[in-house]
Structure formats: structure tokens, C-alpha cells
């Protein structure tokens, strides 16, 4: 079965744990916004995923609004896209259970993100953290989503979603769930840590200097880029010259993504440049693109009632798509409804 039998629909989500960082913006939100209008777009704040590790309840509610504010500040139009938080649509949890019964333990054991997060201490982690990718498959397939834009780190989870869809269709002899395509394109699908170009930028890194938070003001953004780790060489002449230079490559890719150009375009302008020229240019570009978003986020956060209204409206629209798909799934599985 191919996904050509399904109406094209985009689904993606972001966890409200900690704040948003530049990787979330360039690897996810900016690309989500770019897909609006091309096909139906459904974007979620996945609060049920966040509690796979401990979250303070008041902080979780705040982080949920903050991710919603990030989406809106970056240009998500709630008239063009459905924007909602996962726990308001209970069908996610219900389909998640069914997929827990489709996915195999062997498949879950291969998930590198669980291994990275749980480390050698897996037994102390929640069962939810282990089962999380099956819930992610439910998020996607509940909308019969055909396209899932994500950063590189989520590729394996989208591949698992394909395996779950294929096994469900095979076991129940149906063509019901689409085999979803992960959309991982553009220069910034893996934004790296500013202090160590071999590590992914994340919300949970030790030092604040290693990431750009979407709430950072102009001074902080400029300072962090100016202090970003680099090597002693000037920029190379070509993109190929960045291959073994993780920090240099990361800064070039961030510049390209912020400016909507390719890394080759950046090299055409800065081939052979010293860091003393490139870093201030990157800092200025980043401030000009990110500072308006952070101030717009702050404006949304000043009106939590409006965010809640948008999420409530989005949840009602999400339920209209999700509930018939869940009912049909129950019918296929043989769950009696009376
Ligand atoms: P999360 O919340 O960790 O990240 C949200 C999105 O941001 C991308 N991302 C990055 N991209 C580039 N460089 C980085 N350094 C970087 N850091 C984060 C992630 O790849 C992701 O696209 N499991 C998911 C959330 C989820 C989901 C879904 C996604 C739940 N259900 C259904 C898609 C479809 C997660 O934890 O993402």
C-alpha cells in the first residue's frame, strides 16, 4: 500500500518540557509554518509525552502555553492550521493503547532515544518513556497523516510509525493506516550545541551558553553566537570543506536556515572569511530573525486566556478528524460498541 490513497495531511508535535530552543524552531516550527497552505496541517503540543519524565504540574501548564505561543509567534495561523494540545483529545491515549498491543518489545528495544535518555539506569524510568514511540505513532496515525516534518532525531520514531501501520494493516487485513513519510529536509534538521558541535542542541543541556532559547533577548542571542565554539581555521572555500569541522558546519547551517538560503549560498558569500567577520554577521542575522519572535511570544504569554481559547478551538477541530478514525479502528479490532 502507498500513501497515495490518502488525502495529504501533515501532523507534527513538540513536547512542552523545558523551553523551546533554536533546534525546535529551525528543525520543526519554521518548517511547519512553511507547510501551511500546501496541505491540511495539524500541529500539536504533546503534553502527554512530556510527563514520561517528571513535570511540575504548574510548570507543565506554563510550558504548554509557551510552546503554543512559540508556534503562533513564528507565524502559525490558527485559521490555516489546527493547533491543539494532545491531552484535550483523548483519542490519542486510546489509539496509543491499541498500538502498544501492535508494537513488539523488540522494536522498542531498538529505539536509540530511549537508550540515550535512560542510559544504564533504564529500570528507574517510567514505562511511559519506553512506550512513548507507540503513542507518537498514535498521534500521527489518528489523523491518517501522510507527511510528518521532524528533525533528524525523530526519524527512527517515524520509521517505527510506518512499521506499526504496516503490521496493523497486515494483521487485520485492511488498508486502513497510511504508511507515513518523514519529512526531514533543509539545512537545519540537526542543530548542534554551540559549545560542542558533536552534540545536539537540546533544552536540557548543562550550560545555557550551549543553546539559543526562543525566549532569549537580542543581547543574549548575540552574545551566545559571538562566544560559540569554533576551530582556528577560517571558513573553507566550499561546503565539502566543512565535513570534518562540526562547529563550523553547524554555524553555517544555522545561518543558511535563518536566511532561507543553502549552505552553498553561505559559502559563496563567506568563503575564506575569518570568524571575526562571520560570527558578528550571524549574530546580527539571528537577532533580526529571532528577537521579533521572542517578543511576540512574550506578548502571547501575557494573554494566556487567548492561548487557551486557540488550543480549545483547535482541540475541537482535531477531535472531528480523530474520533471517526478511532471508532473505525475499534470496529476493525472488534471492540463492541452498544
Ligand atoms: P521534541 O519535543 O523533542 O522536539 C520537537 C521537534 O523539534 C525537533 N528538534 C530539532 N531539530 C533540529 N535540531 C535540533 N537540535 C532539534 N531539537 C529538537 C525535533 O526533531 C522535533 O521535530 N517525540 C517528539 C514529539 C512528538 C511528535 C509526535 C513529533 C510526539 N508525537 C508526532 C512528530 C509527530 C519529540 O520529543 O520532539
Amino acid at each position: 500500500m502507498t500513501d497515495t490513497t490518502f488525502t495529504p495531511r501533515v501532523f507534527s508535535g513538540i513536547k512542552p518540557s523545558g523551553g523551546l530552543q533554536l533546534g525546535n524552531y529551525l528543525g520543526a516550527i519554521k518548517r511547519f509554518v512553511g507547510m501551511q497552505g500546501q496541505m491540511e496541517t495539524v500541529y500539536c503540543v504533546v503534553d502527554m509525552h512530556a510527563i514520561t519524565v517528571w513535570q511540575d504540574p504548574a510548570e507543565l501548564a506554563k510550558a504548554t502555553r509557551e510552546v503554543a505561543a512559540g508556534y503562533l509567534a513564528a507565524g502559525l495561523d490558527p485559521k490555516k492550521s489546527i493547533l491543539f494540545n494532545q491531552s484535550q483529545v483523548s483519542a490519542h491515549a486510546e489509539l496509543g493503547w491499541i498500538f502498544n498491543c501492535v508494537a513488539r518489545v523488540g522494536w522498542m528495544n531498538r529505539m536509540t532515544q530511549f537508550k540515550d535518555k535512560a542510559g544504564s539506569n533504564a529500570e528507574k524510568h517510567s514505562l511511559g518513556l519506553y512506550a512513548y514511540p507507540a503513542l507518537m505513532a498514535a498521534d500521527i496515525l489518528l489523523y491518517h497523516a501522510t507527511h510528518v516534518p521532524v528533525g533528524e532525531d525523530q526519524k527512527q520514531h517515524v520509521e517505527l510509525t510506518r512499521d506499526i501501520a504496516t503490521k496493523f494493516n497486515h494483521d487485520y487485513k485492511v488498508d486502513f493506516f497510511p504508511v507515513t513519510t518523514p519529512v526531514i529536509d533543509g539545512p537545519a534538521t540537526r542543530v548542534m550545541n554551540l559549545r560542542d558541535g558533536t552534540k545536539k542542541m537540546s533544552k536540557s543541556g548543562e550550560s545555557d551558553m550551549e543553546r539559543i532559547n526562543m525566549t532569549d533577548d537580542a543581547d543574549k542571542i548575540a552574545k551566545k553566537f559571538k562566544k560559540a565554539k569554533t576551530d582556528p581555521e577560517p571558513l573553507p572555500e566550499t561546503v565539502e570543506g566543512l565535513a570534518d569541522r562540526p562547529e563550523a558546519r553547524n554555524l553555517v547551517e544555522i545561518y543558511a536556515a535563518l536566511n532561507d538560503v543553502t549552505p552553498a549560498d553561505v559559502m559563496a558569500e563567506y568563503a575564506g572569511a575569518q570568524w571575526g567577520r562571520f560570527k558578528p554577521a550571524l549574530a546580527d542575522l539571528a537577532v533580526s530573525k529571532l528577537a521579533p519572535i521572542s517578543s511576540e511570544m512574550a506578548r502571547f504569554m501575557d494573554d494566556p486566556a487567548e492561548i487557551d481559547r486557540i488550543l480549545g478551538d483547535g482541540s475541537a477541530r482535531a477531535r472531528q478528524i480523530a474520533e471517526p478514525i478511532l471508532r473505525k479502528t475499534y470496529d476493525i479490532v472488534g471492540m463492541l460498541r452498544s
Side-chain angles (χ1 to χ4, degrees), residues 145-213:
T146 52
H147 295 72
V148 180
V150 281
E152 196 47 61
D153 63 321
Q154 295 299 320
K155 185 169 182 225
Q156 194 185 32
H157 293 160
V158 184
E159 282 165 359
L160 182 91
T161 302
R162 293 166 67 90
D163 291 342
I164 289 176
T166 304
K167 182 163 165 57
F168 182 98
N169 288 342
H170 175 268
D171 289 355
Y172 291 102
K173 301 183 179 52
V174 289
D175 259 3
F176 186 58
F177 287 116
V179 180
T180 300
T181 311
V183 184
I184 303 175
D185 57 11
T189 54
R190 193 169 176 80
V191 176
M192 307 308 275
N193 179 320
L194 297 180
R195 311 299 287 176
D196 177 352
T198 63
K199 288 194 194 142
K200 195 183 67 167
M201 186 181 287
S202 78
K203 326 173 202 201
S204 54
E206 290 147 34
S207 152
D208 196 53
M209 290 302 284
E210 63 189 46
R211 64 180 164 267
I212 304 287
N213 305 301

Side-chain angles (χ1 to χ4, degrees), residues 11-17 21-29 31-32 46 49 86 113 117 132 135-137 139-140 148-154 157-158 188-192 200-203:
F11 182 94
S12 203
I14 298 180
K15 270 196 315 280
S17 48
Q21 40 82 18
L22 184 64
N24 297 130
Y25 174 63
L26 294 178
I29 299 179
R31 296 168 55 229
F32 299 172
V46 288
H49 284 269
Q86 187 184 25
Q113 204 170 65
K117 281 198 179 172
Y132 166 126
L135 179 61
M136 177 161 161
D139 300 338
I140 295 167
V148 180
V150 281
E152 196 47 61
D153 63 321
Q154 295 299 320
H157 293 160
V158 184
T189 54
R190 193 169 176 80
V191 176
M192 307 308 275
K200 195 183 67 167
M201 186 181 287
S202 78
K203 326 173 202 201

Side-chain angles (χ1 to χ4, degrees), residues 261-288:
V261 298
T262 65
D265 296 329
V266 182
M267 298 322 297
E269 198 176 341
Y270 289 100
Q274 300 292 337
W275 292 111
R277 182 173 152 229
F278 184 72
K279 276 188 174 181
L282 173 60
D284 286 351
L285 174 67
V287 167
S288 75

Side-chain angles (χ1 to χ4, degrees), residues 50-121:
I51 61 162
T52 55
V53 298
W54 168 251
Q55 304 293 333
D56 174 82
E59 284 300 315
L60 177 63
K62 180 169 174 255
T64 299
R65 291 194 182 108
E66 196 168 283
V67 172
Y71 276 118
L72 294 164
L76 186 144
D77 177 347
K79 292 197 190 68
K80 287 192 191 153
S81 294
I82 294 177
L83 176 63
F84 73 107
N85 60 311
Q86 187 184 25
S87 60
Q88 294 209 61
V89 181
S90 59
H92 287 252
E94 295 180 66
L95 188 62
W97 178 255
I98 296 196
F99 287 170
N100 280 347
C101 302
V102 174
R104 306 288 92 182
V105 169
W107 299 357
M108 308 313 271
N109 284 342
R110 283 196 288 276
M111 295 297 115
T112 54
Q113 204 170 65
F114 178 75
K115 289 189 214 165
D116 290 348
K117 281 198 179 172
S120 53
N121 222 355

